[in-house]
Amino acid sequence: MHLFRSNILRFLAVCFTVAITSSSTFAQDGAKLFKGNCASCHKPTDQKLVGPGLKGIRARWTDEAKLISWVKNSTEFLKTGDAYANKLYEQYGKSIMPAQALSDAEIIAVIDWADKGGDAPVATTADAKTAVAGSGDSETNSDTYFYILLVVGLILIILIRVLGTVNKSLKSLVDEKQGIVTEIKPVLSPYQSFRLWASQNKKIVAIIGLLIVTWSLKQGWDGLMGIGVYQGYAPEQPIKFSHEIHAGQNQIACVYCHSGVEKSKHANIPSANVCMNCHAYIQEGAVSGKEEIKKIYAALDYNPETRVYGPNKKPIEWIRVHNLPDHVYFNHSQHVKVGKIECTQCHGAVDSMAVVKQNSPLTMGWCIDCHRKTEVDYKDNKYYEELHKQFVNDPAYKKGDKFTIGKIGGLECSKCHY
Ligand code: HEC
Ligand code: HEC
Ligand code: HEC
Ligand code: HEC
Ligand code: HEC
Ligand code: HEC
């Protein structure tokens, strides 16, 4: 029995080593690598993003060694004078594809995955996050394997326990027959018997411990990679302010409160004084009564009975919903005033939201996609009219080509990045 047991343990140990190492191999599979390194600029389809769609890429690069050196460091590769690569580079407005710190095997994995169009069904919708969602399948797969192995492991452990108990009862049966009196064990609480079991089965405990640690690390990693974290983000705010009531039912214009939106980079959140334009009079709401409006008064140290302001003001600490990384430049007035884009196109139907939620993914792919598709409104704008003339007179111009934001520089790295 002992022999049997240690063999099983060895088998289990192998099982778990495989589970753990393969979960890092999973991390290396094409879909994940693509998502982590390439999805901000490429789609695994025919569609362009910042760079070309990578479906069927192998047919375009028959020499694998060249393809690998391109991905590793495109700038270096261009210096070899390769005609195809240099033409592509020109075609993409000399955008530099950043060097990718991946091993050959990893690059092959990404290429193989993208070459066949990613995971079916291939995403056809616009943003990179959706392209990425296509690859989500394989991520769930790797998760599923992980959990299956976990469950198999646990079942094996239970099996060993059961076999152990059977063995023991058999032994005591034999003992009884031979007239040996087995010692009477004290009755243990479940916790005590668990401790006893744990102290007798240190290896199993160590393996379970290791599994839990690996699992938490994996969760933490996914969290860090920001996989699907922000879209739909709708934090609870310090005051239950409802856009549905204000912008919807009461038709208050967005710019009444977000006064910066047409003249500056930021849309700004209104100060409590703006609320008081109305709430000095409206002291009660239909939904929350006086409860929530009272918090405006508290922030301003205002007494609604005497209508007197005290000295202890403190700002209302609204929680930011939308937040681009610091290296990205985004300007509201350029989009709202000059580009005439409606708030809803990016923020969704805010006027029917009781709690604001992030409607768009705010990824690079999302910005670029709109810039590629949206045509410039060049009428009544001298500067754009000039650019439009140049565009139409360019020898490369074909009838039907669209004068998009991309054509006026909306795809240049430096326009969006500091
Ligand atoms: C920051 C944007 C960016 C990232 C990230 C990026 N690329 Fe690119 N890639 C480009 C651009 C732009 C081109 C077009 C050529 C040029 O302008 O240099 C390109 C071209 C390519 C080509 C040649 C396409 C063709 O049609 O022949 C391949 C292959 C490629 N990239 C693979 C990758 C892989 C694999 C990754 C991830 C490991 C990746 N790229 C990450 C921007 C990027
Ligand atoms: C009566 C004032 C008021 C009006 C009118 C108003 N808002 Fe707001 N808005 C706020 C306040 C206060 C917040 C911060 C609290 C919150 O997020 O709910 C906010 C937050 C937001 C946010 C999230 C900001 C973030 O943290 O990222 C968006 C987007 C937004 N508003 C869009 C709109 C749009 C679009 C309209 C018009 C349909 C509008 N707002 C009308 C007061 C207003
Ligand atoms: C232009 C006028 C106006 C402004 C400015 C305004 N509100 Fe209101 N607010 C209203 C109206 C109208 C109601 C609906 C009252 C009712 O239910 O009869 C309301 C209701 C509310 C309610 C209660 C909702 C309910 O039904 O329980 C809260 C909370 C509130 N507002 C917070 C704010 C805050 C915070 C600000 C400043 C960021 C603000 N309001 C700015 C007009 C305004
Ligand atoms: C082209 C897309 C787009 C349009 C159109 C747009 N927004 Fe935004 N909005 C964003 C992005 C992106 C952010 C995040 C900005 C950041 O983190 O720097 C944002 C952030 C905000 C915020 C948070 C405060 C800030 O400035 O960062 C508010 C409030 C807001 N928008 C309101 C509006 C309103 C009101 C309109 C319409 C008048 C509008 N937005 C139109 C994309 C857009
Ligand atoms: C819904 C479509 C849309 C989305 C989404 C969008 N933009 Fe734009 N963007 C436009 C339009 C339209 C213009 C042209 C405005 C004009 O006429 O100057 C523009 C112009 C710009 C410009 C100026 C380009 C130039 O050549 O002067 C920058 C920079 C910019 N956008 C950044 C961003 C960033 C960053 C994001 C994502 C966070 C984003 N945009 C998302 C539509 C969009
Ligand atoms: C239209 C605006 C826009 C243009 C043009 C643009 N970017 Fe970005 N970029 C963004 C936004 C927005 C993010 C933040 C995305 C996020 O946080 O998910 C970003 C993120 C990045 C990141 C961080 C990695 C990531 O995916 O979050 C890199 C690197 C990057 N961009 C490189 C480039 C390069 C190189 C170019 C030129 C080929 C370029 N960008 C052109 C808007 C743009």
Side-chain angles (χ1 to χ4, degrees):
M1 182 61 196
H2 200 73
L3 192 77
F4 163 75
R5 212 168 177 180
S6 67
N7 272 345
I8 283 268
L9 266 185
R10 210 163 293 147
F11 170 73
L12 262 186
V14 171
C15 244
F16 288 129
T17 330
V18 170
I20 286 153
T21 44
S22 62
S23 81
S24 62
T25 333
F26 287 141
Q28 282 181 16
D29 74 20
K32 262 208 178 149
L33 285 166
F34 184 87
K35 182 176 184 173
N37 300 286
C38 325
S40 46
C41 299
H42 293 286
K43 288 191 188 189
T45 63
D46 299 324
Q47 277 174 289
K48 287 181 192 172
L49 203 55
V50 181
L54 294 185
K55 188 179 174 190
I57 187 65
R58 286 221 179 254
R60 278 174 271 161
W61 291 71
T62 41
D63 185 341
E64 186 172 86
K66 279 190 182 171
L67 179 54
I68 291 173
S69 26
W70 163 268
V71 176
K72 279 198 169 153
N73 191 334
S74 74
T75 323
E76 280 301 311
F77 187 77
L78 286 169
K79 286 187 196 149
T80 66
D82 185 272
Y84 171 79
N86 276 286
K87 195 168 150 238
L88 193 71
Y89 177 62
E90 292 289 329
Q91 212 178 319
Y92 279 81
K94 303 200 171 169
S95 320
I96 293 170
M97 166 166 150
Q100 301 293 316
L102 299 178
S103 70
D104 289 11
E106 287 172 326
I107 293 173
I108 291 172
V110 183
I111 293 294
D112 283 345
W113 181 80
D115 181 56
K116 56 180 170 53
D119 298 326
V122 169
T124 45
T125 358
D127 61 72
K129 273 262 162 84
T130 340
V132 157
S135 67
D137 290 352
S138 79
E139 195 195 338
T140 11
N141 274 344
S142 79
D143 275 354
T144 322
Y145 286 132
F146 191 79
Y147 292 122
I148 290 176
L149 278 167
L150 196 94
V151 170
V152 168
L154 286 176
I155 292 177
L156 276 172
I157 290 170
I158 294 167
L159 211 71
I160 296 170
R161 287 303 303 151
V162 173
L163 283 174
T165 334
V166 171
N167 182 45
K168 241 182 239 149
S169 18
L170 279 177
K171 189 161 174 280
S172 57
L173 257 178
V174 174
D175 287 353
E176 224 168 273
K177 271 214 174 133
Q178 292 174 347
I180 304 169
V181 183
T182 4
E183 61 180 295
I184 297 156
K185 282 192 187 162
V187 181
L188 296 177
S189 75
Y191 174 67
Q192 280 171 323
S193 46
F194 174 75
R195 290 230 359 215
L196 187 68
W197 174 83
S199 69
Q200 286 164 354
N201 297 277
K202 292 214 173 76
K203 278 187 195 162
I204 294 181
V205 173
I207 289 169
I208 296 178
L210 201 64
L211 269 175
I212 294 174
V213 171
T214 329
W215 181 76
S216 337
L217 282 178
K218 187 174 160 19
Q219 292 298 311
W221 175 255
D222 285 355
L224 274 181
M225 298 305 285
I227 295 168
V229 180
Y230 296 113
Q231 197 169 9
Y233 177 54
E236 197 177 315
Q237 299 290 350
I239 300 180
K240 289 201 177 65
F241 174 83
S242 162
H243 279 81
E244 190 181 16
I245 292 173
H246 291 85
Q249 290 163 22
N250 288 291
Q251 298 279 310
I252 306 170
C254 309
V255 278
Y256 181 93
C257 292
H258 300 294
S259 51
V261 81
E262 290 184 343
K263 22 181 214 269
S264 75
K265 180 175 180 301
H266 285 294
N268 79 284
I269 303 294
S271 72
N273 292 322
V274 176
C275 314
M276 288 304 279
N277 291 346
C278 302
H279 288 289
Y281 315 103
I282 306 170
Q283 303 192 346
E284 225 176 303
V287 181
S288 60
K290 293 190 169 169
E291 206 47 43
E292 297 297 322
I293 294 173
K294 216 166 64 187
K295 295 181 188 164
I296 308 174
Y297 302 151
L300 290 166
D301 196 8
Y302 174 79
N303 184 334
E305 310 291 325
T306 59
R307 299 190 177 271
V308 174
Y309 289 93
N312 300 315
K313 290 190 186 186
K314 50 183 186 316
I316 303 170
E317 295 187 353
W318 302 110
I319 296 163
R320 266 200 91 114
V321 183
H322 301 76
N323 215 345
L324 287 171
D326 290 341
H327 57 83
V328 180
Y329 174 82
F330 176 83
N331 186 319
H332 267 99
S333 69
Q334 183 158 39
H335 288 86
V336 174
K337 191 82 182 174
V338 188
K340 300 187 183 70
I341 310 248
E342 299 285 334
C343 314
T344 43
Q345 237 177 300
C346 299
H347 292 298
V350 177
D351 63 0
S352 62
M353 294 180 192
V355 179
V356 179
K357 113 176 163 209
Q358 181 174 323
N359 175 68
S360 306
L362 307 197
T363 54
M364 182 155 129
W366 173 72
C367 312
I368 297 232
D369 216 77
C370 180
H371 286 185
R372 250 186 220 297
K373 282 188 193 140
T374 312
E375 289 181 65
V376 181
D377 184 4
Y378 57 88
K379 299 198 179 65
D380 308 326
N381 182 324
K382 278 229 157 59
Y383 178 67
Y384 287 159
E385 274 176 358
E386 195 50 46
L387 287 178
H388 181 252
K389 258 189 220 138
Q390 285 176 19
F391 171 71
V392 180
N393 294 328
D394 194 280
Y397 174 80
K398 286 193 292 294
K399 217 173 158 29
D401 278 1
K402 286 185 176 157
F403 188 50
T404 61
I405 313 305
K407 299 286 193 301
I408 60 163
L411 303 180
E412 281 165 26
C413 317
S414 60
K415 286 277 169 73
C416 300
H417 292 289
Y418 291 107

PDB file of all heavy atoms in Angstrom, residues 68-86:
ATOM      1  N   ILE A  68      10.428  36.719 -39.294  1.00  0.00           N
ATOM      2  CA  ILE A  68      10.804  36.791 -37.879  1.00  0.00           C
ATOM      3  C   ILE A  68      11.672  38.015 -37.618  1.00  0.00           C
ATOM      4  O   ILE A  68      11.451  38.761 -36.662  1.00  0.00           O
ATOM      5  CB  ILE A  68      11.499  35.489 -37.431  1.00  0.00           C
ATOM      6  CG1 ILE A  68      10.469  34.350 -37.425  1.00  0.00           C
ATOM      7  CG2 ILE A  68      12.118  35.642 -36.052  1.00  0.00           C
ATOM      8  CD1 ILE A  68      11.050  32.986 -37.160  1.00  0.00           C
ATOM      9  N   SER A  69      12.661  38.259 -38.502  1.00  0.00           N
ATOM     10  CA  SER A  69      13.504  39.432 -38.224  1.00  0.00           C
ATOM     11  C   SER A  69      12.717  40.729 -38.377  1.00  0.00           C
ATOM     12  O   SER A  69      12.973  41.696 -37.675  1.00  0.00           O
ATOM     13  CB  SER A  69      14.790  39.461 -39.045  1.00  0.00           C
ATOM     14  OG  SER A  69      14.658  38.768 -40.232  1.00  0.00           O
ATOM     15  N   TRP A  70      11.725  40.721 -39.262  1.00  0.00           N
ATOM     16  CA  TRP A  70      10.871  41.915 -39.375  1.00  0.00           C
ATOM     17  C   TRP A  70      10.159  42.194 -38.052  1.00  0.00           C
ATOM     18  O   TRP A  70      10.180  43.305 -37.536  1.00  0.00           O
ATOM     19  CB  TRP A  70       9.835  41.743 -40.493  1.00  0.00           C
ATOM     20  CG  TRP A  70       8.720  42.721 -40.389  1.00  0.00           C
ATOM     21  CD1 TRP A  70       7.527  42.537 -39.736  1.00  0.00           C
ATOM     22  CD2 TRP A  70       8.686  44.066 -40.881  1.00  0.00           C
ATOM     23  NE1 TRP A  70       6.759  43.666 -39.803  1.00  0.00           N
ATOM     24  CE2 TRP A  70       7.447  44.631 -40.501  1.00  0.00           C
ATOM     25  CE3 TRP A  70       9.586  44.850 -41.603  1.00  0.00           C
ATOM     26  CZ2 TRP A  70       7.083  45.936 -40.819  1.00  0.00           C
ATOM     27  CZ3 TRP A  70       9.223  46.157 -41.918  1.00  0.00           C
ATOM     28  CH2 TRP A  70       7.989  46.675 -41.531  1.00  0.00           C
ATOM     29  N   VAL A  71       9.529  41.162 -37.501  1.00  0.00           N
ATOM     30  CA  VAL A  71       8.752  41.360 -36.279  1.00  0.00           C
ATOM     31  C   VAL A  71       9.671  41.754 -35.128  1.00  0.00           C
ATOM     32  O   VAL A  71       9.358  42.623 -34.326  1.00  0.00           O
ATOM     33  CB  VAL A  71       7.930  40.101 -35.923  1.00  0.00           C
ATOM     34  CG1 VAL A  71       7.197  40.289 -34.608  1.00  0.00           C
ATOM     35  CG2 VAL A  71       6.932  39.793 -37.035  1.00  0.00           C
ATOM     36  N   LYS A  72      10.842  41.119 -35.067  1.00  0.00           N
ATOM     37  CA  LYS A  72      11.770  41.416 -33.967  1.00  0.00           C
ATOM     38  C   LYS A  72      12.218  42.868 -33.990  1.00  0.00           C
ATOM     39  O   LYS A  72      12.290  43.517 -32.958  1.00  0.00           O
ATOM     40  CB  LYS A  72      12.994  40.508 -34.043  1.00  0.00           C
ATOM     41  CG  LYS A  72      12.718  39.153 -33.446  1.00  0.00           C
ATOM     42  CD  LYS A  72      13.997  38.435 -33.135  1.00  0.00           C
ATOM     43  CE  LYS A  72      13.696  37.213 -32.298  1.00  0.00           C
ATOM     44  NZ  LYS A  72      14.694  36.170 -32.467  1.00  0.00           N
ATOM     45  N   ASN A  73      12.562  43.362 -35.197  1.00  0.00           N
ATOM     46  CA  ASN A  73      13.012  44.744 -35.281  1.00  0.00           C
ATOM     47  C   ASN A  73      12.832  45.245 -36.712  1.00  0.00           C
ATOM     48  O   ASN A  73      13.709  45.100 -37.558  1.00  0.00           O
ATOM     49  CB  ASN A  73      14.484  44.834 -34.849  1.00  0.00           C
ATOM     50  CG  ASN A  73      14.909  46.273 -34.673  1.00  0.00           C
ATOM     51  OD1 ASN A  73      14.340  47.182 -35.301  1.00  0.00           O
ATOM     52  ND2 ASN A  73      15.890  46.497 -33.829  1.00  0.00           N
ATOM     53  N   SER A  74      11.693  45.874 -36.953  1.00  0.00           N
ATOM     54  CA  SER A  74      11.367  46.257 -38.325  1.00  0.00           C
ATOM     55  C   SER A  74      12.322  47.330 -38.852  1.00  0.00           C
ATOM     56  O   SER A  74      12.652  47.357 -40.033  1.00  0.00           O
ATOM     57  CB  SER A  74       9.915  46.716 -38.417  1.00  0.00           C
ATOM     58  OG  SER A  74       9.743  47.987 -37.858  1.00  0.00           O
ATOM     59  N   THR A  75      12.783  48.209 -37.970  1.00  0.00           N
ATOM     60  CA  THR A  75      13.665  49.296 -38.409  1.00  0.00           C
ATOM     61  C   THR A  75      14.971  48.724 -38.954  1.00  0.00           C
ATOM     62  O   THR A  75      15.457  49.139 -40.015  1.00  0.00           O
ATOM     63  CB  THR A  75      13.974  50.256 -37.245  1.00  0.00           C
ATOM     64  OG1 THR A  75      12.801  50.381 -36.458  1.00  0.00           O
ATOM     65  CG2 THR A  75      14.390  51.604 -37.729  1.00  0.00           C
ATOM     66  N   GLU A  76      15.525  47.747 -38.213  1.00  0.00           N
ATOM     67  CA  GLU A  76      16.748  47.089 -38.661  1.00  0.00           C
ATOM     68  C   GLU A  76      16.501  46.390 -39.994  1.00  0.00           C
ATOM     69  O   GLU A  76      17.319  46.459 -40.910  1.00  0.00           O
ATOM     70  CB  GLU A  76      17.211  46.044 -37.627  1.00  0.00           C
ATOM     71  CG  GLU A  76      17.948  46.639 -36.434  1.00  0.00           C
ATOM     72  CD  GLU A  76      19.192  47.414 -36.850  1.00  0.00           C
ATOM     73  OE1 GLU A  76      19.989  46.874 -37.643  1.00  0.00           O
ATOM     74  OE2 GLU A  76      19.351  48.577 -36.407  1.00  0.00           O
ATOM     75  N   PHE A  77      15.343  45.704 -40.074  1.00  0.00           N
ATOM     76  CA  PHE A  77      15.056  44.927 -41.270  1.00  0.00           C
ATOM     77  C   PHE A  77      14.939  45.824 -42.502  1.00  0.00           C
ATOM     78  O   PHE A  77      15.392  45.463 -43.587  1.00  0.00           O
ATOM     79  CB  PHE A  77      13.791  44.094 -41.077  1.00  0.00           C
ATOM     80  CG  PHE A  77      13.539  43.153 -42.215  1.00  0.00           C
ATOM     81  CD1 PHE A  77      14.251  41.977 -42.337  1.00  0.00           C
ATOM     82  CD2 PHE A  77      12.605  43.464 -43.198  1.00  0.00           C
ATOM     83  CE1 PHE A  77      14.047  41.115 -43.394  1.00  0.00           C
ATOM     84  CE2 PHE A  77      12.383  42.610 -44.270  1.00  0.00           C
ATOM     85  CZ  PHE A  77      13.113  41.428 -44.367  1.00  0.00           C
ATOM     86  N   LEU A  78      14.346  47.008 -42.309  1.00  0.00           N
ATOM     87  CA  LEU A  78      14.198  47.929 -43.444  1.00  0.00           C
ATOM     88  C   LEU A  78      15.566  48.297 -44.016  1.00  0.00           C
ATOM     89  O   LEU A  78      15.721  48.499 -45.221  1.00  0.00           O
ATOM     90  CB  LEU A  78      13.433  49.186 -43.002  1.00  0.00           C
ATOM     91  CG  LEU A  78      11.934  49.001 -42.790  1.00  0.00           C
ATOM     92  CD1 LEU A  78      11.327  50.223 -42.113  1.00  0.00           C
ATOM     93  CD2 LEU A  78      11.218  48.731 -44.109  1.00  0.00           C
ATOM     94  N   LYS A  79      16.566  48.350 -43.137  1.00  0.00           N
ATOM     95  CA  LYS A  79      17.913  48.723 -43.575  1.00  0.00           C
ATOM     96  C   LYS A  79      18.524  47.698 -44.523  1.00  0.00           C
ATOM     97  O   LYS A  79      19.458  48.014 -45.251  1.00  0.00           O
ATOM     98  CB  LYS A  79      18.834  48.903 -42.359  1.00  0.00           C
ATOM     99  CG  LYS A  79      18.543  50.192 -41.588  1.00  0.00           C
ATOM    100  CD  LYS A  79      19.581  50.407 -40.506  1.00  0.00           C
ATOM    101  CE  LYS A  79      19.116  51.434 -39.491  1.00  0.00           C
ATOM    102  NZ  LYS A  79      19.652  51.154 -38.154  1.00  0.00           N
ATOM    103  N   THR A  80      18.004  46.448 -44.510  1.00  0.00           N
ATOM    104  CA  THR A  80      18.533  45.444 -45.435  1.00  0.00           C
ATOM    105  C   THR A  80      18.115  45.760 -46.873  1.00  0.00           C
ATOM    106  O   THR A  80      18.572  45.127 -47.810  1.00  0.00           O
ATOM    107  CB  THR A  80      18.026  44.016 -45.106  1.00  0.00           C
ATOM    108  OG1 THR A  80      16.606  43.987 -45.344  1.00  0.00           O
ATOM    109  CG2 THR A  80      18.309  43.625 -43.670  1.00  0.00           C
ATOM    110  N   GLY A  81      17.223  46.755 -47.026  1.00  0.00           N
ATOM    111  CA  GLY A  81      16.809  47.169 -48.356  1.00  0.00           C
ATOM    112  C   GLY A  81      15.742  46.284 -48.980  1.00  0.00           C
ATOM    113  O   GLY A  81      15.449  46.415 -50.162  1.00  0.00           O
ATOM    114  N   ASP A  82      15.153  45.414 -48.180  1.00  0.00           N
ATOM    115  CA  ASP A  82      14.105  44.522 -48.675  1.00  0.00           C
ATOM    116  C   ASP A  82      12.997  45.327 -49.359  1.00  0.00           C
ATOM    117  O   ASP A  82      12.414  46.239 -48.759  1.00  0.00           O
ATOM    118  CB  ASP A  82      13.537  43.721 -47.505  1.00  0.00           C
ATOM    119  CG  ASP A  82      12.521  42.694 -47.967  1.00  0.00           C
ATOM    120  OD1 ASP A  82      11.313  43.063 -48.061  1.00  0.00           O
ATOM    121  OD2 ASP A  82      12.920  41.561 -48.228  1.00  0.00           O
ATOM    122  N   ALA A  83      12.747  44.995 -50.634  1.00  0.00           N
ATOM    123  CA  ALA A  83      11.846  45.822 -51.437  1.00  0.00           C
ATOM    124  C   ALA A  83      10.412  45.796 -50.909  1.00  0.00           C
ATOM    125  O   ALA A  83       9.779  46.841 -50.749  1.00  0.00           O
ATOM    126  CB  ALA A  83      11.876  45.360 -52.891  1.00  0.00           C
ATOM    127  N   TYR A  84       9.926  44.597 -50.610  1.00  0.00           N
ATOM    128  CA  TYR A  84       8.546  44.467 -50.139  1.00  0.00           C
ATOM    129  C   TYR A  84       8.329  45.262 -48.856  1.00  0.00           C
ATOM    130  O   TYR A  84       7.403  46.052 -48.743  1.00  0.00           O
ATOM    131  CB  TYR A  84       8.198  42.990 -49.914  1.00  0.00           C
ATOM    132  CG  TYR A  84       6.871  42.792 -49.235  1.00  0.00           C
ATOM    133  CD1 TYR A  84       5.678  42.898 -49.949  1.00  0.00           C
ATOM    134  CD2 TYR A  84       6.808  42.526 -47.870  1.00  0.00           C
ATOM    135  CE1 TYR A  84       4.457  42.743 -49.324  1.00  0.00           C
ATOM    136  CE2 TYR A  84       5.590  42.369 -47.230  1.00  0.00           C
ATOM    137  CZ  TYR A  84       4.414  42.473 -47.967  1.00  0.00           C
ATOM    138  OH  TYR A  84       3.209  42.327 -47.340  1.00  0.00           O
ATOM    139  N   ALA A  85       9.235  45.084 -47.885  1.00  0.00           N
ATOM    140  CA  ALA A  85       9.095  45.736 -46.586  1.00  0.00           C
ATOM    141  C   ALA A  85       9.149  47.252 -46.729  1.00  0.00           C
ATOM    142  O   ALA A  85       8.356  47.981 -46.125  1.00  0.00           O
ATOM    143  CB  ALA A  85      10.182  45.247 -45.634  1.00  0.00           C
ATOM    144  N   ASN A  86      10.064  47.730 -47.559  1.00  0.00           N
ATOM    145  CA  ASN A  86      10.187  49.178 -47.715  1.00  0.00           C
ATOM    146  C   ASN A  86       8.961  49.790 -48.390  1.00  0.00           C
ATOM    147  O   ASN A  86       8.529  50.887 -48.036  1.00  0.00           O
ATOM    148  CB  ASN A  86      11.468  49.535 -48.474  1.00  0.00           C
ATOM    149  CG  ASN A  86      12.664  49.588 -47.538  1.00  0.00           C
ATOM    150  OD1 ASN A  86      12.807  50.528 -46.761  1.00  0.00           O
ATOM    151  ND2 ASN A  86      13.485  48.547 -47.561  1.00  0.00           N
TER     152      ASN A  86
END
